[in-house]
Amino acid sequence: MRILIINGPNLNLLGTREPDLYGSQSFEDFLKELKSKYTSHDIGYFQSNIEGELISAVQQAKQNYDGIILNAAAYSHTSIGIADAVTAIELSVVEVHISNIYKRENFRHFTYLSSRCVGTISGLGLKGYALALEFLLSSK
Ligand code: DQA
């Protein structure tokens, strides 16, 4: 299967950004490990700090991928545009948050994406991406 991981703003800083919350591994290192475990699947990766680029990545995924793992980071809590793109493409999208957004500030408790995604994983660290991948691979 072909699965696209999309990461939103500030997730390019994983490894050095608030390691107590997000851990000390860079996403690139994690991705290398993940890809080496799933060599028979095509795992794509896109990161952007720009909302419109994330919307375009979600839209374009329809042509090349069977599912999406989406951590829209701060835009999860603000972006109707990304949420509408998720609804428009009719691909299975799993929402992931590295930290437990329900243990954090109130403004992080709501996401525009949760109701548009097949499910949400929050608070399990980078393992959340691996679990989301397992789910998508087993659901087709
Ligand atoms: C996050 C949680 C968001 O609230 C935050 O803005 C992020 C990362 C997470 O992965 O835990 O940037 O999506």
Side-chain angles (χ1 to χ4, degrees):
M1 274 180 81
R2 301 157 308 164
I3 304 296
L4 178 63
I5 299 174
I6 301 177
N7 272 345
N10 301 306
L11 294 174
N12 53 314
L13 302 178
L14 285 177
T16 55
R17 173 193 183 197
E18 299 178 84
D20 289 353
L21 270 178
Y22 299 114
S24 50
Q25 188 174 27
S26 73
F27 200 80
E28 286 67 24
D29 282 353
F30 170 75
L31 191 61
K32 219 180 281 170
E33 283 174 20
L34 194 67
K35 282 183 173 183
S36 72
K37 283 187 197 146
Y38 293 92
T39 48
S40 56
H41 297 282
D42 175 5
I43 303 171
Y45 176 56
F46 178 77
Q47 189 278 330
S48 177
N49 295 322
I50 300 167
E51 185 177 10
E53 289 185 358
L54 295 166
I55 293 170
S56 294
V58 170
Q59 289 181 6
Q60 285 157 19
K62 180 79 183 149
Q63 286 132 45
N64 301 311
Y65 292 94
D66 305 303
I68 298 178
I69 298 168
L70 175 61
N71 185 348
Y75 288 136
S76 316
H77 314 297
T78 61
S79 179
I80 297 170
I82 297 175
D84 281 351
V86 167
T87 304
I89 54 160
E90 294 171 353
L91 275 185
S92 288
V93 181
V94 178
E95 178 184 21
V96 168
H97 297 283
I98 298 163
S99 63
N100 184 344
I101 55 173
Y102 303 103
K103 273 188 173 174
R104 300 181 64 191
E105 303 95 322
N106 281 341
F107 65 82
R108 294 185 204 274
H109 295 180
F110 172 79
T111 98
Y112 283 100
L113 302 174
S114 304
S115 62
R116 322 280 183 114
C117 290
V118 287
T120 300
I121 297 171
S122 176
L124 304 184
L126 291 175
K127 263 192 192 151
Y129 292 88
L131 293 168
L133 181 63
E134 275 294 334
F135 170 78
L136 288 170
L137 295 179
S138 66
S139 63
K140 273 233 168 154

